[in-house]
Amino acid sequence: MPARKAPDTALPRNSATTTLFAFAVGLLVIAVVLFGCIGVISQELKSSLGLFMQEIAEVESASVNAVIEDKLSVLHGASAFVVAENIEDSDSLIEHFREMVDSGAFMRVGLVNSEGDGIGYDSRIGVLPENNYADRAYVQAALDGKNYVSEPLEDSWEGEPGIVFAVPVYDVKHRGGDPIGVLVGTLSVAAFSDTIDASLFEGHGHIDIINSEGTILFRSTGENAYGGTDAIGQDDIQARSFEQMKEDLAGGWKGSTTVTGDDGSSRFIVYQPIGINDWFIDVVLPSDYLEAKNRTVLLASIVMAVFIACTAIVLMAVVFRTKNRSEKALAHAALEDDLTGIDNALAFDSKFNARSDLFDGKHSLVLFNLVGFSLYNTIFGYEKGSSLIKSVAEILTRSLGRAELLARLTGDRFLMLIRTETLDETQSRLLSLLDSIDSAIGSDETHYQIVSQCCAYRLSTADEEKDVNLIAQDMAIPFRQTKSHAGKRIIFYDEQNVACAMRARHIEGIMSTALLKEEFVAYFQPQYDIRGDRPVLCGAEALVRWNSPVLGLVRPDEFIPIFEKNGFVDRVDRYMLERACIRLRQWMDAGLRCVPVSVNLSRQNLFSADLIGRIEKIVDAYGIPHSFIKLELTESIVAESTVQLVETASKLRQRGFKVAMDDFGTGYSALSILKDVPFDTIKLDRAFFGESIDSERGRTTLTGVIRLLDALGFETVAEGIESESEAVQLKAWGCHVIQGFVFDRPVPADEFTKKHLEPAQDDLA
Ligand code: C2E
Ligand code: MG
Ligand code: MG
């Protein structure tokens, strides 16, 4: 068995899948961004820390410079005193040096003359024994006129290693001459190292002063100073191939590098020259500390990112859930009939398509229709109409068996799927259902007679691939074929109907082209006035025929209901009016005795905006006097829209057209309506005579109606009269005009011209 198409309720599922997919993609994007960010953050941290260390190096370099400048300027100040006092007065000099040492400016201060002999005072030793210092580099440099700052030197008096500051001393009285001596100040390495900032990175880092060969000269000390063992000492730097650093140091450039010590620990070093000797400041930070800091920040970033991702996931889940719920609600609303709460066509279609067990010859589709419902709705209002529909829905719902379906399609149309073993069972079940509906809706206070009707169709394997909506549409066709199905409560929709429906669809497919190709032809049927001694031609009815090269000659009974349903009838009616005018023009031009021609107007026309204007335009185009055109409106329109009809008929008559009520006696209108309608002619339908003509009561009714119509001033036309005896009878009852096979069938225009517009025949004579 071929699979039927998936039900439409699958729609929300598709949308849920899309949401899930978007959800997954969203998560993936978050993960990628997260990892991307971690790399970037780590890189950023490293470079900003490098910059920070660079700044520390610059600040420290300035501070070391300031300390050295300070020490040198203290010595310069003292040199002025040395010269001003008697340079030979060693006692007063020693006293002055002692004061300087006591002030803490230096550990030791002394004066060396140009021969290298020196005196001095030391905080530990006191007055130094006389000694010759001529071989000392700082003495030679100062005697050459330069300020001098030494690297750490061993103490010649077995004291602490120190850093020596030396400045030249000039004889102020003999300006411009060579230095007469050297003033020397010594500071212990420890004291000098104390001036370097110790509180670096919570004691994890330290600062060195190194020379261009990488020898560490001084290192920051103090409470917060780096307390760990420094595996990278002078040897390390020199022994390892820190090529870039070595190059930088040799060239006096600043830079940074990472070095690994013997114990495997690595350090991040930033260095820069300080402008004194070949000295550099280097700021050293263990990579472990850097990585630990990095890790902390990264961890914080990851925690934050995970938190954001979790929030996003929770939010998305909430959105997804809400969306899912509203989609379900929407889907539910889209599948429910607003008024009755039962399934609508979409839901029926969906459920029907999901079933594969319906084509076993035991399932039937049943379409319900309420005859007269639209009029009931018009007369008693929408609210009453709605409550009537609701009670029908309730009755039908109650009758539903297990796995049977029910839906309200539109208005008063309900579609049901039932399961029965035999056709007899179907019939009896539907009859009792129709009875229940009729007794329920017939018992309301309006006493308006609405009759329920249904069309049943037994499904077979041939329907497996068919669209249930199209089947239901076809099942509605018999409801419109009132002439052939009037009064039937259950119509069994069979193969013949199916064939009809197929043909109807074919007709719809080719109708427009057919009209353009003028395949529609006007036939004319004569109307004879029977009041005189012999019948006299008094009119003709233009009746459409479709001479289709594909379908053959198609009768209006077949295609007019289809055209009425799809609105095409409007164009056919205008076409027929024009055909009638063309013929009248020819007859007039040929000097023949013309009679008014009746043209049928479908109910559709009644609601078109400019009906009168359009009719006038066509008729006037051929110069036809308006009194030669009679427009026929069927009785059923009277019942459906009396106000509209009266208005249209009045306007047409005001413009000189004639108006006829067609098919009187086939609808449900009461005779009382006749006093309101402004018609010239009433056409009694053949069905009106039918069997009545044979019974006494029937004959009495007929004669009564004909007399009534005559008394109200209508022209009475008896339609469909086939035998002469009927014609004679009608004449006797006072009927004015006869249209029927007794005079002629509808014939092509040329034939009509030849047969009926020639000198009048005396058929009844
Ligand atoms: P109608 O307007 O009531 O037309 C009269 C119908 O009775 C015609 O059927 C005609 O052929 C038939 N008839 C006339 N005399 C006799 C008779 O002695 N015995 C029998 N058995 N029938 C007779 P026709 O031409 O098949 O038209 C059927 C209906 O189609 C028309 O009924 C009319 O309602 C509709 N129709 C025809 N042409 C047009 C048109 O141009 N526009 C519209 N809107 N409807 C049209
Ligand atoms: Mg007619
Ligand atoms: Mg008629």
Side-chain angles (χ1 to χ4, degrees), residues 655-703:
R655 284 169 174 73
F657 294 106
K658 292 200 157 29
V659 186
M661 184 192 284
D662 204 356
D663 302 335
F664 185 77
T666 55
Y668 296 95
S669 32
L671 280 177
S672 62
I673 204 156
L674 291 172
K675 67 180 180 350
D676 301 320
V677 289
F679 285 78
D680 299 281
T681 304
I682 302 291
K683 293 180 83 176
L684 303 170
D685 190 75
R686 181 176 171 72
F688 191 67
F689 310 112
E691 290 144 14
S692 317
I693 214 158
D694 300 327
S695 73
E696 190 53 46
R697 278 173 75 89
R699 280 197 293 275
T700 313
T701 315
L702 274 176
T703 48

Side-chain angles (χ1 to χ4, degrees), residues 395 432-444 450 452 489:
I395 294 167
S432 81
L433 204 48
L434 293 176
D435 284 344
S436 314
I437 294 173
D438 288 354
S439 63
I441 61 182
S443 61
D444 80 354
I450 293 184
S452 62
R489 299 188 74 196

Side-chain angles (χ1 to χ4, degrees), residues 481-710:
Q481 295 166 334
T482 42
K483 280 188 181 173
S484 47
H485 293 291
K488 281 190 194 162
R489 299 188 74 196
I490 304 174
I491 303 160
F492 279 99
Y493 191 74
D494 52 23
E495 274 172 25
Q496 201 189 333
N497 295 128
V498 176
C500 274
M502 304 268 280
R503 193 169 149 96
R505 227 158 273 140
H506 190 172
I507 284 173
E508 286 187 302
I510 59 173
M511 63 190 183
S512 294
T513 325
L515 190 66
L516 289 176
K517 286 186 177 168
E518 301 195 345
E519 288 175 15
F520 293 96
V521 187
Y523 274 42
F524 292 86
Q525 187 178 28
Q527 297 169 335
Y528 277 87
D529 189 326
I530 52 166
R531 279 172 286 190
D533 296 339
R534 59 188 186 88
V536 177
L537 182 77
C538 64
E541 181 174 5
L543 292 157
V544 68
R545 296 289 178 271
W546 182 1
N547 205 350
S548 164
V550 189
L551 303 169
L553 192 69
V554 194
R555 294 190 59 85
D557 268 343
E558 184 181 358
F559 61 82
I560 289 291
I562 300 172
F563 292 176
E564 279 181 338
K565 189 183 144 217
N566 62 27
F568 190 67
V569 72
D570 199 18
R571 286 174 63 189
V572 173
D573 285 354
R574 263 182 280 154
Y575 175 86
M576 286 296 288
L577 176 64
E578 189 165 10
R579 294 285 119 180
C581 291
I582 290 170
R583 276 299 161 183
L584 275 165
R585 184 74 265 146
Q586 283 176 359
W587 294 333
M588 284 174 186
D589 291 348
L592 297 169
R593 192 178 71 82
C594 286
V595 286
V597 174
S598 297
V599 177
N600 291 283
L601 262 194
S602 156
R603 69 192 73 186
Q604 297 277 331
N605 291 283
L606 220 56
F607 300 98
S608 65
D610 189 28
L611 173 69
I612 315 288
R614 282 194 328 212
I615 292 175
E616 256 184 332
K617 202 172 160 196
I618 295 170
V619 176
D620 293 349
Y622 293 93
I624 309 296
H626 291 185
S627 58
F628 275 81
I629 298 292
K630 188 183 276 183
L631 296 150
E632 291 191 8
L633 295 154
T634 53
E635 192 221 270
S636 58
I637 311 179
V638 182
E640 277 173 26
S641 36
T642 317
V643 178
Q644 195 81 19
L645 182 84
V646 169
E647 201 183 305
T648 310
S650 306
K651 281 186 189 161
L652 284 168
R653 290 184 80 201
Q654 277 163 20
R655 284 169 174 73
F657 294 106
K658 292 200 157 29
V659 186
M661 184 192 284
D662 204 356
D663 302 335
F664 185 77
T666 55
Y668 296 95
S669 32
L671 280 177
S672 62
I673 204 156
L674 291 172
K675 67 180 180 350
D676 301 320
V677 289
F679 285 78
D680 299 281
T681 304
I682 302 291
K683 293 180 83 176
L684 303 170
D685 190 75
R686 181 176 171 72
F688 191 67
F689 310 112
E691 290 144 14
S692 317
I693 214 158
D694 300 327
S695 73
E696 190 53 46
R697 278 173 75 89
R699 280 197 293 275
T700 313
T701 315
L702 274 176
T703 48
V705 170
I706 292 170
R707 230 175 283 132
L708 173 73
L709 292 174
D710 187 42

